[in-house]
Amino acid sequence: MEQIEPTGRRAERLAVAAAAVTVVLWASAFVSIRSAGADYSPGALALGRLLFGTVTLGLIWLIRREGLPPKAAWPGIAVSGLLWFGLYMVALNWGEQMVDAGTAALVVNIGPLLIALLGGWLLKEGFPKQLMAGMAVSFAGAAVVGLSMSDEGRSPVIGVLLCLVAAVLYATGVIAQKPALRHASALQVTTFGCAIGALACLPFAGRLAAEAPTASVSATLNMAYLGIFPTALAFTTWAYAVARTSAGKMGATTYAAPALVVVMSWALLSEVPGWLTLAGGLLCLAGVAVSRRTPRSARPVETPAGTPAGTPAGTMAVPAAPGTSSDTATNPDGTTDPGPFLTDPAPAGEKAVR
């Protein structure tokens, strides 16, 4: 008999694919920040990046005609926009100008651990054993990468503190964003979060105007790249994925970033990593694999073609009502999402705004 992929498993695979895009682009951001940071100050670089991101997302939002997010989504959008899109980028840019890349990667990667802890507590996601084990392995890998690339522990204290602040802002922004994704689409949440972050960075407009004319073309192009790809695209794929899985599991996935940064720095900046750095990168990837692995007892059971997911064996399937679609995916919060990318339905009893 023909078998079809359960909708829950399909949604999980789409979330993993979106998360992979996010991690690759966020890893590339470290290389671009290093290049653009030579000509732009931390606040000016953050504002320029967010302006490019807002314009890109705004055009897509207008083309898709998604409309304004529902009122229930605005608190999460505002908090994540201010903390994650705005203040986080300034703190990260500033910190990376004072410490080496290894130390920055080590400190910022406290963020996923904070996400898992806050998600388990505030979002009631719990503390799955495999997630905790995977995060422990990945954090050990990030520590190895950071220590192997650090400048013999001589990083300025203020730089380390700035990276720690960035990690806290990152984790808090993720936790604030998760509830907003129950009411608005990934594109809506990302577009308006990015715009709020740009507004928060407007005090740096004077610095940006003064530095842009004298900045190198490569630095400005890297700023544009940061806005279009690691911000506009990667934050949208992140929101799409985090709406369909736990915040803790998504945070653990980002532990793959240090390993990718090592490879990209090797290829683009000719920074040859040592064996200890490579071993740490492999530990990061192994931890991500453990954290993303679904326990055997929790794996969905395949159902025959034409049978809705969740129909017990031996039970007659009830046809879908006319005008409805069976191609839906169920979110952790119990809401259902249709198949098309970046499209989220409004919760029950709430009219969708498009």
Side-chain angles (χ1 to χ4, degrees):
M1 180 179 294
E2 181 184 1
Q3 299 290 322
I4 62 171
E5 183 179 56
T7 54
R9 186 178 301 174
R10 176 175 175 271
E12 173 70 13
R13 290 183 177 178
L14 287 174
V16 170
V21 171
T22 299
V23 171
V24 170
L25 291 178
W26 281 357
S28 72
F30 283 91
V31 178
S32 292
I33 287 173
R34 291 189 61 185
S35 178
D39 293 335
Y40 288 101
S41 60
L45 178 57
L47 176 58
R49 174 179 178 175
L50 289 167
L51 289 176
F52 276 109
T54 300
V55 170
T56 302
L57 288 165
L59 290 175
I60 298 173
W61 172 70
L62 288 173
I63 292 172
R64 290 183 59 86
R65 299 180 180 179
E66 292 208 4
L68 295 173
K71 291 182 180 179
W74 278 106
I77 293 175
V79 173
S80 64
L82 175 63
L83 299 183
W84 192 11
F85 285 86
L87 300 181
Y88 162 79
M89 291 189 182
V90 176
L92 179 61
N93 293 345
W94 195 358
E96 283 197 26
Q97 289 191 355
M98 307 178 79
V99 303
D100 57 89
T103 303
L106 170 62
V107 178
V108 172
N109 267 288
I110 295 174
L113 178 60
L114 296 176
I115 291 172
L117 295 176
L118 290 174
W121 174 39
L122 298 176
L123 301 181
K124 310 301 181 184
E125 293 178 350
F127 303 94
K129 292 181 179 179
Q130 283 185 289
L131 174 60
M132 294 295 106
M135 293 192 72
V137 173
S138 289
F139 186 77
V144 171
V145 170
L147 294 175
S148 67
M149 297 175 65
S150 64
D151 186 18
E152 299 180 2
R154 293 194 296 267
S155 300
V157 174
I158 185 64
V160 174
L161 290 176
L162 284 168
C163 291
L164 179 60
V165 169
V168 174
L169 291 170
Y170 158 44
T172 308
V174 170
I175 298 303
Q177 186 190 67
K178 175 74 174 178
L181 290 165
R182 297 173 183 169
H183 306 283
S185 73
L187 179 59
Q188 288 174 323
V189 171
T190 307
T191 300
F192 290 95
C194 190
I196 290 172
L199 289 174
C201 292
L202 278 181
F204 301 106
R207 296 295 300 272
L208 178 60
E211 294 169 2
T214 59
S216 65
V217 174
S218 63
T220 303
L221 288 177
N222 272 286
M223 177 191 287
Y225 171 81
L226 286 167
I228 296 170
F229 293 98
T231 302
L233 178 56
F235 273 76
T236 304
T237 51
W238 164 276
Y240 175 86
V242 82
R244 290 156 177 79
T245 188
S246 70
K249 184 177 288 189
M250 278 299 297
T253 303
T254 63
Y255 271 122
L260 295 176
V261 170
V262 170
V263 174
M264 291 178 182
S265 297
W266 189 358
L268 301 176
L269 302 177
S270 299
E271 296 178 350
V272 180
W275 289 109
L276 189 60
T277 302
L278 292 175
L282 290 176
L283 269 179
C284 290
L285 296 176
V288 171
V290 171
S291 67
R292 299 290 313 192
R293 186 172 178 271
T294 304
R296 185 176 298 275
S297 60
R299 292 175 185 171
V301 179
E302 294 188 357
T303 55
T307 303
T311 302
T315 303
M316 180 178 296
V318 179
T324 62
S325 171
S326 62
D327 185 21
T328 59
T330 303
N331 289 332
D333 58 13
T335 59
T336 56
D337 295 330
F341 184 65
L342 298 182
T343 304
D344 300 302
E350 185 173 42
K351 184 177 180 180
V353 181
R354 295 293 183 224

